[in-house]
């Protein structure tokens, strides 16, 4: 049993949704494109799951956040896929791939063949068991990667009103979920091994601003230590979190956000991997010329940095999706993917954006006791990164532009003196 398509997208997340829209814009014919996803719903804007989805009132629910509303584009409901002749195979995993034969075998036993394959399998949340701690299956321990996790998290929050929540991990999931838990009136303690939150991106000074704000909203921080074990009650529910520093926190629920692993398993031994992802060239093409990769699973050349990077953010998923469709359908008209990394977050009433690379010397600007402040990163005499909290549309556009221009910076003191004005006037 089997079907054949010209284009197959493996994975039905953010990148798949944006690629589908671009295929339609570029005139894909009915019956040519198939999307296979093990999720039961059409592609949606995953960032909503840690923000609007978790609100106690007027929470976001599907179909309101199907892709591509996050980029102010059309909202692609299952009906849209039907109307455009795109085969959406939902609730169906791909269990093996054969890139030589150009076939995929699904969990329902179907063989789907392709001329061009776009791998958009994203990533999975790392489990505590991978760090030697058991208890992930307990009913009040939550992860957050997909809509099933988000529904479960909402149910667990509702099961222990005004209870004690421990958030394990000080990265994006930890910070955004902690804020959402506070909004749900939970007592929140964050536990992470680093000296400060968001250690991959923030400097100590930037992190301090957010930590002080979180403390003012009642969040307690336990830093520099990790979880060593859980205590359970007779029903298998977690009642306490034991930390390696010897302390114990009693809990009603736990949220874990300790990083991800890209879903490359189907292609190990078949495609070249790098930085934990599928290595692709500037056309987003892997070591097999019929197979492309986009989104979290792709390690692609970031021209401005002169090196291969794998990014785990929605903007690169959206833009790589758009680019891959052009690379496949209009190869002669399409150049190499030229992308400046862009990350953002929204927590409580705060909102920040970051562009570029966080290497080199840091020059701060603005007023940390006021609402807007930021930082530039200067490496080898060039401005390579910019961060801004509390900016307006024009200001965010300005830091995006200045980062893409990578201007030469001779005098750090002068850059500091000009501050945000430098980006706005460059
Ligand atoms: P994505 O994970 O979206 O999709 C992968 C899809 O492939 C899934 O549908 C999966 O089920 C499917 N799949 C995997 N293996 C399969 C198989 N073998 N067979 C069939 N299907 C398979 N970023 C940002 O910049 N700003 C933000 O605010 C946020 N917020 C945010 C919140 C939360 C809760 C999460 C989990 C993530 C974010 N992100 C984010 C990150 C952002 O969502 C992420 O970078 C994109 O979703 C990546 O898109 P992809 O399409 O690559 O993977
Ligand atoms: P992350 O990489 O942002 O943070 C992981 C955190 O885990 C680290 O900061 C560290 O504090 C912690 N950690 C590592 N090992 C640990 C251990 N043994 N015990 C306790 N803590 C440990 O990953 P995440 O927060 O899990 O986010 C998952 C994915 O979702 C990422 O790809 C992220 O980019 C994405 N995401 C992005 C956004 C956004 O861009 N606004 C929002 C939510 C999620």
């Amino acid at each position: 049993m089997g079907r054949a398509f010209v284009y197959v997208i493996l994975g039905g997340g953010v990148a798949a949704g944006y690629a589908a829209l671009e295929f339609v814009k570029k005139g894909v014919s009915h019956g040519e494109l198939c999307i296979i996803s093990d999720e039961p719903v059409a592609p949606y804007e995953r960032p909503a799951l840690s923000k609007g989805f978790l609100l106690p009132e007027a929470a976001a629910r599907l179909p309101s956040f199907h892709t591509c509303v996050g980029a102010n584009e059309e909202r692609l409901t299952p009906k849209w896929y039907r109307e455009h002749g795109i085969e959406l195979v939902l609730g169906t995993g791909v269990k093996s791939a054969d890139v030589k034969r150009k076939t995929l075998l699904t969990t329902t036993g179907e063989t789907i063949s392709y001329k061009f394959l776009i791998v958009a399998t994203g990533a999975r949340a790392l489990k505590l068991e991978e760090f030697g701690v058991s208890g992930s299956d307990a009913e009040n321990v939550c992860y957050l990667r997909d809509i099933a996790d988000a529904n479960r998290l909402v149910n667990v929050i509702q099961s222990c009103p005004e209870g004690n929540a421990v958030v394990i991990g000080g990265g994006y999931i930890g910070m955004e979920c902690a804020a959402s838990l506070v909004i749900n009136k939970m007592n929140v303690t964050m536990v992470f091994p680093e000296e400060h939150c968001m250690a991959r991106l923030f400097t100590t000074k930037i992190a301090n601003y957010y930590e002080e704000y979180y403390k003012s909203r009642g969040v307690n921080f336990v830093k520099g230590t990790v979880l060593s074990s859980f205590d359970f009650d007779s029903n298998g529910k977690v009642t306490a979190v034991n930390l390696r520093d010897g302390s114990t926190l009693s809990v009603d629920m736990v949220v874990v956000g300790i990083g991800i692993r890209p879903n490359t398993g189907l292609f190990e031994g078949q495609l070249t991997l790098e930085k934990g992802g599928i290595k692709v060239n500037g056309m987003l093409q892997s070591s097999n010329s019929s197979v492309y990769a986009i989104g979290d699973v792709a390690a692609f050349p970031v021209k401005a940095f002169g090196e291969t990077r794998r990014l785990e953010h929605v903007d690169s998923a959206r833009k790589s999706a758009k680019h891959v469709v052009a690379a496949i359908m209009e190869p002669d008209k399409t150049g190499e993917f030229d992308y400046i990394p862009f990350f953002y977050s929204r927590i409580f009433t705060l909102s920040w954006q970051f562009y570029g690379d966080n290497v080199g010397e840091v020059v701060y600007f603005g007023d940390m006791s006021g609402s807007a402040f930021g930082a530039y990163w200067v490496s080898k005499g060039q401005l390579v990164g910019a961060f801004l909290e509390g900016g307006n549309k024009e200001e965010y556009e300005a830091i995006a532009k200045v980062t893409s221009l990578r201007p030469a910076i001779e005098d750090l003191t002068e850059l500091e003196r000009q501050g945000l004005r430098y980006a706005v006037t460059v």
Side-chain angles (χ1 to χ4, degrees), residues 353-366:
Q353 296 193 6
F354 170 83
Y355 294 85
D357 207 7
N358 58 334
V359 292
E361 288 188 74
V362 189
V363 173
Y364 297 95
F365 58 80

Side-chain angles (χ1 to χ4, degrees), residues 10-15 36-39 46-47 49-51 92-94 120-122 144-145 173 176 263 266 295-296 312-314 317 344:
L10 168 47
V14 171
I36 312 170
S37 176
D38 55 13
E39 289 195 75
R46 205 164 297 280
L49 299 182
S50 51
K51 306 174 188 73
T92 305
V94 166
T121 45
L144 185 54
R145 182 70 201 177
I173 291 285
E176 293 186 5
N263 293 318
L266 294 171
D296 283 9
E312 301 174 353
H313 293 275
V314 76
Y344 72 90

Side-chain angles (χ1 to χ4, degrees), residues 8 18 21 24 51 71 87 95 115 136 146 159 170 187 214 220 249 290 307 359 389 404 409 415:
V8 172
Y18 281 78
L21 181 61
V24 166
K51 306 174 188 73
E87 190 68 32
K95 59 179 183 185
K115 191 163 169 227
S136 283
D146 59 23
S159 75
N187 303 310
Y214 273 52
N220 182 26
L249 303 164
S290 305
E307 64 176 59
V359 292
E389 162 62 46
S404 69
I409 301 292
L415 180 65

Side-chain angles (χ1 to χ4, degrees), residues 167-238:
V167 173
I168 311 283
Y172 288 93
I173 291 285
M175 291 300 279
E176 293 186 5
C177 286
S180 294
L181 289 165
V182 168
I183 294 167
N184 279 279
K185 299 199 167 66
M186 306 288 293
N187 303 310
V188 180
T189 301
M190 292 187 71
V191 178
F192 49 84
E194 297 91 354
E195 278 171 25
H196 62 73
C197 68
M198 295 290 294
R200 285 203 293 170
L201 180 64
F202 288 0
T203 63
T204 307
K205 193 167 168 171
I206 295 175
N208 195 42
Y209 173 87
Y210 292 96
E211 288 182 13
E212 287 305 316
Y213 184 85
Y214 273 52
K215 284 184 203 162
S216 77
R217 301 294 303 252
V219 175
N220 182 26
F221 285 90
V222 181
K223 303 192 268 188
T225 189
V226 290
L227 169 73
S228 59
S229 65
F230 290 130
D231 290 346
F232 302 92
D233 68 11
S234 54
N235 298 319
K237 246 173 129 167
V238 171

Side-chain angles (χ1 to χ4, degrees), residues 205-380:
K205 193 167 168 171
I206 295 175
N208 195 42
Y209 173 87
Y210 292 96
E211 288 182 13
E212 287 305 316
Y213 184 85
Y214 273 52
K215 284 184 203 162
S216 77
R217 301 294 303 252
V219 175
N220 182 26
F221 285 90
V222 181
K223 303 192 268 188
T225 189
V226 290
L227 169 73
S228 59
S229 65
F230 290 130
D231 290 346
F232 302 92
D233 68 11
S234 54
N235 298 319
K237 246 173 129 167
V238 171
T239 55
V241 169
N242 301 311
L243 303 180
R244 199 170 289 166
D245 68 5
S247 59
T248 292
L249 303 164
S250 72
V251 290
D252 297 297
M253 65 173 292
V254 177
V255 179
V256 184
I258 53 174
I260 59 167
R261 277 285 174 283
N263 293 318
T264 55
L266 294 171
F267 301 98
E268 271 154 36
Q270 301 197 76
L271 301 176
T272 304
L273 304 183
E274 193 174 321
K275 306 233 157 121
I278 295 173
K279 183 181 174 148
V280 293
N281 61 20
M283 302 302 267
L284 302 167
Q285 191 173 34
S286 75
S287 54
N288 177 297
S289 61
S290 305
V291 182
Y292 294 72
I294 56 177
D296 283 9
V297 79
F300 63 89
V302 177
K303 276 188 169 180
F305 307 161
E307 64 176 59
T308 297
R309 294 266 176 109
R310 198 181 53 71
L311 302 176
E312 301 174 353
H313 293 275
V314 76
D315 184 65
S316 72
R318 292 170 180 158
K319 302 238 168 81
S320 60
K322 205 170 147 111
H323 198 86
V324 81
V325 176
I328 293 173
M329 291 185 82
E330 298 171 343
D332 300 335
K333 285 203 255 167
T334 306
E336 297 196 324
F337 189 43
D338 191 4
Y339 180 71
I340 298 287
F342 164 46
F343 316 148
Y344 72 90
S345 185
R346 291 191 302 272
I347 36 208
F348 296 112
T349 54
L350 304 177
S351 173
W352 58 260
Q353 296 193 6
F354 170 83
Y355 294 85
D357 207 7
N358 58 334
V359 292
E361 288 188 74
V362 189
V363 173
Y364 297 95
F365 58 80
D367 178 9
M368 279 199 160
S369 59
S371 57
F373 73 91
Y376 297 118
W377 279 259
V378 178
S379 176
K380 297 179 187 137

Side-chain angles (χ1 to χ4, degrees), residues 5-52:
F5 295 89
V6 183
Y7 313 106
V8 172
I9 302 175
L10 168 47
V14 171
Y18 281 78
L21 181 61
E22 196 63 17
F23 267 116
V24 166
K25 284 185 183 169
K26 296 225 178 293
V28 73
S29 300
H30 282 224
E32 283 187 338
L33 172 63
C34 170
I35 298 175
I36 312 170
S37 176
D38 55 13
E39 289 195 75
V41 293
Y44 57 87
E45 301 285 357
R46 205 164 297 280
L49 299 182
S50 51
K51 306 174 188 73

Side-chain angles (χ1 to χ4, degrees), residues 356-421:
D357 207 7
N358 58 334
V359 292
E361 288 188 74
V362 189
V363 173
Y364 297 95
F365 58 80
D367 178 9
M368 279 199 160
S369 59
S371 57
F373 73 91
Y376 297 118
W377 279 259
V378 178
S379 176
K380 297 179 187 137
Q382 277 183 308
L383 191 155
V384 296
F387 174 92
L388 179 60
E389 162 62 46
N392 62 31
K393 188 166 173 285
E394 289 70 33
E395 290 165 343
Y396 284 127
E397 282 168 7
I399 64 159
K401 184 172 159 218
V402 78
T403 312
S404 69
L405 293 172
R406 298 170 70 84
I409 301 292
E410 274 151 28
D411 185 346
L412 295 182
T413 318
E414 177 58 17
L415 180 65
E416 186 176 12
R417 198 185 63 75
Q418 290 196 30
L420 186 55
R421 200 156 38 85

